[in-house]
Amino acid sequence: MTDSSPGIVDLLGVLAYAELTAFLRLAEDAALLAPTLNDRAALGDVAATEYGHFRVLRDRLESLGVDAEEAMAPFVDAIDAWHAQTKPRDWHEALVKAYVGTGIAGDFYREAARRADPSTRELVDEVLADTGRSEFAVERVRAAIEADPRLSGRLALWARRMVGEALSQGQRLAAARPELAGLLVGEEGEDLAEVGRLFARLTEEHGKRMAALGLTPGA
Protein backbone atom coordinates (compact mmCIF):
# COMPACT_ATOMS: atom_id res chain seq x y z
CA MET A 1 0.00 0.00 0.00
CA THR A 2 1.15 3.55 -0.75
CA ASP A 3 1.14 6.32 1.83
CA SER A 4 -2.02 7.80 0.30
CA SER A 5 -4.09 4.61 0.01
CA PRO A 6 -7.35 4.35 2.01
CA GLY A 7 -5.87 1.79 4.38
CA ILE A 8 -2.91 4.03 5.22
CA VAL A 9 -5.17 7.04 5.71
CA ASP A 10 -7.28 4.94 8.09
CA LEU A 11 -4.18 3.83 9.99
CA LEU A 12 -2.90 7.38 10.34
CA GLY A 13 -6.39 8.62 11.26
CA VAL A 14 -7.01 6.07 13.99
CA LEU A 15 -3.53 6.52 15.40
CA ALA A 16 -3.86 10.31 15.36
CA TYR A 17 -7.10 10.19 17.32
CA ALA A 18 -5.63 7.61 19.70
CA GLU A 19 -2.69 9.91 20.42
CA LEU A 20 -4.94 12.95 20.85
CA THR A 21 -7.19 11.16 23.33
CA ALA A 22 -4.18 9.66 25.12
CA PHE A 23 -2.91 13.19 25.69
CA LEU A 24 -6.27 14.35 27.04
CA ARG A 25 -6.82 11.33 29.30
CA LEU A 26 -3.29 11.26 30.67
CA ALA A 27 -3.44 14.97 31.44
CA GLU A 28 -6.74 14.42 33.24
CA ASP A 29 -5.35 11.49 35.23
CA ALA A 30 -2.27 13.53 36.15
CA ALA A 31 -4.44 16.39 37.41
CA LEU A 32 -7.02 14.31 39.29
CA LEU A 33 -5.30 11.12 40.44
CA ALA A 34 -1.56 11.73 40.88
CA PRO A 35 -0.72 11.60 44.61
CA THR A 36 2.29 13.94 44.45
CA LEU A 37 3.42 16.88 42.39
CA ASN A 38 6.33 14.82 41.07
CA ASP A 39 3.90 12.15 39.88
CA ARG A 40 1.70 14.79 38.31
CA ALA A 41 4.67 16.25 36.47
CA ALA A 42 5.93 12.83 35.32
CA LEU A 43 2.59 11.78 33.85
CA GLY A 44 2.16 15.27 32.43
CA ASP A 45 5.43 14.80 30.56
CA VAL A 46 4.10 11.58 29.03
CA ALA A 47 0.89 13.38 28.05
CA ALA A 48 2.84 16.18 26.38
CA THR A 49 4.80 13.65 24.34
CA GLU A 50 1.57 12.03 23.17
CA TYR A 51 0.35 15.42 21.96
CA GLY A 52 3.57 15.87 20.05
CA HIS A 53 2.93 12.53 18.35
CA PHE A 54 -0.57 13.66 17.43
CA ARG A 55 0.84 16.76 15.74
CA VAL A 56 3.28 14.65 13.72
CA LEU A 57 0.44 12.42 12.49
CA ARG A 58 -1.81 15.38 11.76
CA ASP A 59 0.95 16.98 9.71
CA ARG A 60 1.53 13.77 7.74
CA LEU A 61 -2.17 13.50 6.91
CA GLU A 62 -2.27 17.11 5.78
CA SER A 63 0.85 16.59 3.65
CA LEU A 64 -1.09 13.84 1.86
CA GLY A 65 -3.93 16.26 1.15
CA VAL A 66 -6.17 14.63 3.76
CA ASP A 67 -8.18 16.61 6.30
CA ALA A 68 -7.05 15.27 9.68
CA GLU A 69 -10.45 15.69 11.31
CA GLU A 70 -12.13 13.72 8.55
CA ALA A 71 -9.49 10.99 8.82
CA MET A 72 -10.01 10.69 12.59
CA ALA A 73 -13.81 10.91 12.57
CA PRO A 74 -14.60 7.21 11.82
CA PHE A 75 -12.71 6.15 14.94
CA VAL A 76 -14.03 8.60 17.51
CA ASP A 77 -16.89 6.46 18.80
CA ALA A 78 -14.81 3.30 19.26
CA ILE A 79 -11.88 4.99 20.98
CA ASP A 80 -14.11 7.16 23.17
CA ALA A 81 -16.10 4.05 24.15
CA TRP A 82 -12.92 2.26 25.16
CA HIS A 83 -11.87 5.16 27.37
CA ALA A 84 -15.33 5.41 28.90
CA GLN A 85 -15.30 1.70 29.73
CA THR A 86 -11.79 1.82 31.18
CA LYS A 87 -11.86 4.99 33.24
CA PRO A 88 -9.39 4.48 36.13
CA ARG A 89 -10.72 4.84 39.64
CA ASP A 90 -7.37 5.57 41.29
CA TRP A 91 -3.72 6.31 40.61
CA HIS A 92 -2.62 2.70 40.32
CA GLU A 93 -5.32 1.89 37.79
CA ALA A 94 -4.28 4.98 35.84
CA LEU A 95 -0.67 3.75 35.74
CA VAL A 96 -1.67 0.27 34.58
CA LYS A 97 -3.85 1.78 31.87
CA ALA A 98 -1.04 4.07 30.73
CA TYR A 99 1.27 1.06 30.37
CA VAL A 100 -0.88 -1.97 29.55
CA GLY A 101 -3.84 -0.32 27.83
CA THR A 102 -1.80 1.97 25.66
CA GLY A 103 0.64 -0.87 25.00
CA ILE A 104 -1.95 -3.24 23.55
CA ALA A 105 -3.27 -0.45 21.34
CA GLY A 106 0.24 0.28 20.13
CA ASP A 107 0.75 -3.39 19.28
CA PHE A 108 -2.41 -3.28 17.16
CA TYR A 109 -1.16 -0.26 15.20
CA ARG A 110 2.29 -1.78 14.72
CA GLU A 111 0.69 -4.91 13.30
CA ALA A 112 -1.26 -2.81 10.82
CA ALA A 113 1.90 -0.92 9.85
CA ARG A 114 3.71 -4.15 8.93
CA ARG A 115 2.00 -4.09 5.52
CA ALA A 116 2.33 -0.33 5.02
CA ASP A 117 4.89 1.50 2.91
CA PRO A 118 8.34 2.14 4.46
CA SER A 119 7.73 5.82 5.26
CA THR A 120 4.50 4.99 7.09
CA ARG A 121 6.15 2.16 9.02
CA GLU A 122 8.90 4.54 10.08
CA LEU A 123 6.37 7.14 11.19
CA VAL A 124 4.35 4.61 13.20
CA ASP A 125 7.51 3.36 14.89
CA GLU A 126 8.41 6.96 15.74
CA VAL A 127 5.11 7.86 17.36
CA LEU A 128 4.82 4.56 19.22
CA ALA A 129 8.33 4.67 20.64
CA ASP A 130 8.46 4.34 24.41
CA THR A 131 8.19 7.83 25.91
CA GLY A 132 9.24 6.91 29.44
CA ARG A 133 5.80 5.47 30.15
CA SER A 134 7.31 2.03 30.65
CA GLU A 135 9.86 2.90 33.33
CA PHE A 136 7.56 5.42 34.99
CA ALA A 137 4.61 3.04 35.34
CA VAL A 138 6.52 -0.15 36.08
CA GLU A 139 8.53 1.35 38.94
CA ARG A 140 5.50 2.81 40.67
CA VAL A 141 3.21 -0.20 40.22
CA ARG A 142 5.83 -2.68 41.41
CA ALA A 143 6.57 -0.51 44.46
CA ALA A 144 2.86 -0.26 45.27
CA ILE A 145 2.38 -4.03 45.03
CA GLU A 146 5.42 -4.62 47.22
CA ALA A 147 3.95 -2.28 49.84
CA ASP A 148 0.46 -3.81 49.55
CA PRO A 149 0.38 -7.26 47.88
CA ARG A 150 -3.42 -7.19 47.88
CA LEU A 151 -3.24 -4.74 44.98
CA SER A 152 -1.90 -7.44 42.67
CA GLY A 153 -5.16 -9.30 42.08
CA ARG A 154 -7.22 -6.16 41.56
CA LEU A 155 -4.77 -4.62 39.13
CA ALA A 156 -4.39 -7.87 37.19
CA LEU A 157 -8.15 -8.03 36.72
CA TRP A 158 -8.15 -4.38 35.68
CA ALA A 159 -5.48 -5.00 33.08
CA ARG A 160 -7.34 -8.05 31.78
CA ARG A 161 -10.51 -6.01 31.40
CA MET A 162 -8.70 -3.28 29.48
CA VAL A 163 -7.17 -5.73 27.05
CA GLY A 164 -10.50 -7.46 26.47
CA GLU A 165 -12.15 -4.14 25.72
CA ALA A 166 -9.26 -3.09 23.44
CA LEU A 167 -9.42 -6.31 21.41
CA SER A 168 -13.19 -6.05 21.08
CA GLN A 169 -12.97 -2.48 19.82
CA GLY A 170 -10.15 -3.48 17.47
CA GLN A 171 -12.31 -6.20 15.96
CA ARG A 172 -15.19 -3.76 15.47
CA LEU A 173 -12.89 -1.24 13.80
CA ALA A 174 -11.47 -3.87 11.46
CA ALA A 175 -14.97 -5.04 10.53
CA ALA A 176 -16.16 -1.49 9.86
CA ARG A 177 -13.05 -0.40 7.94
CA PRO A 178 -12.08 -3.07 5.36
CA GLU A 179 -9.00 -1.16 4.21
CA LEU A 180 -7.65 -1.11 7.76
CA ALA A 181 -8.46 -4.80 8.15
CA GLY A 182 -6.50 -5.44 4.97
CA LEU A 183 -3.40 -4.06 6.66
CA LEU A 184 -3.88 -6.48 9.54
CA VAL A 185 -4.62 -9.75 7.73
CA GLY A 186 -3.81 -9.08 4.09
CA GLU A 187 -5.83 -7.85 1.15
CA GLU A 188 -6.65 -11.33 -0.11
CA GLY A 189 -9.43 -11.57 2.45
CA GLU A 190 -9.92 -12.89 5.92
CA ASP A 191 -7.35 -15.53 6.76
CA LEU A 192 -8.35 -17.26 10.00
CA ALA A 193 -4.87 -18.64 10.50
CA GLU A 194 -3.34 -15.17 10.17
CA VAL A 195 -5.95 -13.72 12.53
CA GLY A 196 -5.01 -16.40 15.03
CA ARG A 197 -1.32 -15.57 14.71
CA LEU A 198 -2.11 -11.87 15.09
CA PHE A 199 -3.96 -12.38 18.35
CA ALA A 200 -1.25 -14.76 19.57
CA ARG A 201 1.34 -12.02 19.05
CA LEU A 202 -0.83 -9.45 20.82
CA THR A 203 -1.36 -11.84 23.74
CA GLU A 204 2.35 -12.58 23.99
CA GLU A 205 3.26 -8.90 24.20
CA HIS A 206 0.54 -8.34 26.78
CA GLY A 207 2.00 -11.13 28.88
CA LYS A 208 5.42 -9.48 28.80
CA ARG A 209 3.99 -6.20 30.06
CA MET A 210 2.07 -7.92 32.83
CA ALA A 211 5.23 -9.72 33.92
CA ALA A 212 7.14 -6.43 33.96
CA LEU A 213 4.53 -5.02 36.34
CA GLY A 214 4.68 -8.10 38.56
CA LEU A 215 1.13 -9.14 37.63
CA THR A 216 -0.23 -12.48 36.48
CA PRO A 217 -1.87 -12.23 33.01
CA GLY A 218 -4.66 -14.71 33.73
CA ALA A 219 -5.50 -13.56 37.23
Side-chain angles (χ1 to χ4, degrees):
M1 289 189 178
T2 66
D3 61 1
S4 58
S5 67
I8 298 302
V9 171
D10 272 355
L11 174 59
L12 297 177
V14 68
L15 187 50
Y17 190 66
E19 293 293 322
L20 177 59
T21 53
F23 156 68
L24 295 170
R25 302 293 177 160
L26 288 167
E28 180 181 23
D29 291 344
L32 299 180
L33 300 176
T36 70
L37 292 178
N38 285 337
D39 286 328
R40 185 179 297 180
L43 194 58
D45 285 342
V46 177
T49 301
E50 301 288 14
Y51 185 71
H53 292 163
F54 159 72
R55 293 181 63 179
V56 170
L57 291 157
R58 180 193 61 192
D59 292 347
R60 172 63 66 89
L61 284 164
E62 292 178 352
S63 76
L64 298 175
V66 177
D67 181 271
E69 184 166 355
E70 290 182 4
M72 292 187 290
F75 310 104
V76 169
D77 289 345
I79 292 176
D80 283 357
W82 182 75
H83 281 293
Q85 292 158 2
T86 58
K87 186 177 179 62
R89 295 170 297 179
D90 58 33
W91 175 237
H92 298 120
E93 288 189 359
L95 289 174
V96 172
K97 181 177 180 179
Y99 181 48
V100 173
T102 305
I104 193 72
D107 291 341
F108 180 85
Y109 303 133
R110 287 189 189 91
E111 288 289 340
R114 289 171 63 232
R115 288 186 171 86
D117 61 281
S119 65
T120 298
R121 288 198 302 271
E122 182 178 351
L123 178 65
V124 171
D125 286 341
E126 175 188 343
V127 300
L128 293 178
D130 196 308
T131 60
R133 179 191 304 111
S134 175
E135 182 179 355
F136 169 72
V138 169
E139 287 180 354
R140 283 160 173 77
V141 171
R142 291 187 74 97
I145 291 172
E146 184 176 346
D148 183 4
R150 294 173 299 177
L151 275 175
S152 178
R154 176 168 71 85
L155 293 180
L157 287 173
W158 170 242
R160 187 179 179 185
R161 174 185 168 189
M162 278 190 300
V163 171
E165 294 288 353
L167 293 178
S168 294
Q169 293 297 345
Q171 288 175 316
R172 293 189 186 104
L173 284 175
R177 309 295 294 186
E179 293 85 359
L180 183 60
L183 285 173
L184 288 166
V185 297
E187 294 183 350
E188 68 276 5
E190 184 176 9
D191 181 335
L192 293 179
E194 177 57 27
V195 172
R197 288 189 290 269
L198 165 64
F199 280 91
R201 291 192 295 270
L202 293 176
T203 300
E204 180 181 1
E205 292 303 314
H206 167 61
K208 292 177 182 177
R209 279 186 289 270
M210 293 289 282
L213 290 171
L215 301 175
T216 302

